[in-house]
Short mmCIF file of all heavy atoms in Angstrom, two decimals:
data_model
loop_
_atom_site.label_atom_id
_atom_site.label_comp_id
_atom_site.label_asym_id
_atom_site.label_seq_id
_atom_site.Cartn_x
_atom_site.Cartn_y
_atom_site.Cartn_z
N GLU A 217 -7.03 -11.45 8.63
CA GLU A 217 -6.49 -11.41 9.99
C GLU A 217 -7.44 -12.04 11.01
O GLU A 217 -7.05 -12.33 12.13
CB GLU A 217 -6.20 -9.97 10.45
CG GLU A 217 -5.24 -9.21 9.61
CD GLU A 217 -5.95 -8.53 8.44
OE1 GLU A 217 -6.47 -7.43 8.59
OE2 GLU A 217 -5.97 -9.16 7.35
N HIS A 218 -8.69 -12.22 10.61
CA HIS A 218 -9.64 -12.82 11.56
C HIS A 218 -9.53 -14.34 11.60
O HIS A 218 -10.23 -14.99 12.34
CB HIS A 218 -11.07 -12.41 11.20
CG HIS A 218 -11.28 -10.93 11.27
ND1 HIS A 218 -12.10 -10.25 10.40
CD2 HIS A 218 -10.76 -10.00 12.09
CE1 HIS A 218 -12.07 -8.96 10.68
NE2 HIS A 218 -11.27 -8.78 11.71
N VAL A 219 -8.69 -14.88 10.74
CA VAL A 219 -8.49 -16.33 10.76
C VAL A 219 -7.05 -16.57 11.19
O VAL A 219 -6.12 -16.15 10.51
CB VAL A 219 -8.72 -16.95 9.38
CG1 VAL A 219 -8.53 -18.46 9.44
CG2 VAL A 219 -10.12 -16.61 8.89
N SER A 220 -6.86 -17.18 12.34
CA SER A 220 -5.47 -17.40 12.72
C SER A 220 -5.07 -18.82 12.32
O SER A 220 -5.91 -19.66 12.04
CB SER A 220 -5.25 -17.08 14.19
OG SER A 220 -5.68 -18.11 14.97
N MET A 221 -3.77 -19.02 12.22
CA MET A 221 -3.30 -20.33 11.76
C MET A 221 -2.42 -20.94 12.81
O MET A 221 -1.64 -20.25 13.46
CB MET A 221 -2.55 -20.17 10.45
CG MET A 221 -3.48 -19.68 9.38
SD MET A 221 -2.78 -19.88 7.77
CE MET A 221 -3.16 -18.29 7.08
N PHE A 222 -2.56 -22.23 12.97
CA PHE A 222 -1.81 -22.92 14.01
C PHE A 222 -1.15 -24.16 13.45
O PHE A 222 -1.82 -25.04 12.91
CB PHE A 222 -2.77 -23.28 15.15
CG PHE A 222 -2.08 -23.91 16.30
CD1 PHE A 222 -1.51 -23.13 17.29
CD2 PHE A 222 -1.98 -25.29 16.41
CE1 PHE A 222 -0.84 -23.70 18.35
CE2 PHE A 222 -1.32 -25.88 17.47
CZ PHE A 222 -0.75 -25.08 18.44
N LYS A 223 0.17 -24.22 13.57
CA LYS A 223 0.90 -25.40 13.08
C LYS A 223 0.99 -26.41 14.20
O LYS A 223 1.52 -26.09 15.27
CB LYS A 223 2.34 -25.01 12.72
CG LYS A 223 2.50 -23.98 11.66
CD LYS A 223 3.97 -23.76 11.34
CE LYS A 223 4.53 -22.61 12.19
NZ LYS A 223 5.84 -22.13 11.78
N THR A 224 0.50 -27.60 13.97
CA THR A 224 0.61 -28.60 15.05
C THR A 224 2.01 -29.22 15.05
O THR A 224 2.47 -29.68 16.08
CB THR A 224 -0.40 -29.74 14.90
OG1 THR A 224 -0.16 -30.37 13.63
CG2 THR A 224 -1.83 -29.24 14.93
N GLY A 225 2.64 -29.26 13.90
CA GLY A 225 3.98 -29.85 13.84
C GLY A 225 3.97 -31.37 13.89
O GLY A 225 5.01 -32.01 13.98
N THR A 226 2.77 -31.97 13.84
CA THR A 226 2.70 -33.44 13.83
C THR A 226 1.71 -33.91 12.77
O THR A 226 0.96 -33.12 12.22
CB THR A 226 2.20 -33.99 15.18
OG1 THR A 226 0.96 -33.35 15.45
CG2 THR A 226 3.18 -33.71 16.30
N GLY A 227 1.70 -35.21 12.53
CA GLY A 227 0.74 -35.81 11.61
C GLY A 227 0.97 -35.35 10.19
O GLY A 227 2.07 -34.99 9.79
N SER A 228 -0.13 -35.37 9.40
CA SER A 228 0.01 -34.97 8.00
C SER A 228 -0.96 -33.83 7.72
O SER A 228 -1.80 -33.48 8.53
CB SER A 228 -0.30 -36.15 7.09
OG SER A 228 -1.67 -36.17 6.80
N ILE A 229 -0.82 -33.30 6.52
CA ILE A 229 -1.65 -32.16 6.13
C ILE A 229 -3.14 -32.51 6.16
O ILE A 229 -4.00 -31.67 6.38
CB ILE A 229 -1.19 -31.68 4.74
CG1 ILE A 229 -1.70 -30.28 4.44
CG2 ILE A 229 -1.59 -32.61 3.64
CD1 ILE A 229 -0.66 -29.25 4.62
#
Side-chain angles (χ1 to χ4, degrees):
E217 301 86 85
H218 299 144
V219 181
S220 79
M221 296 195 225
F222 183 85
K223 300 183 267 192
T224 59
T226 55
S228 89
I229 197 102

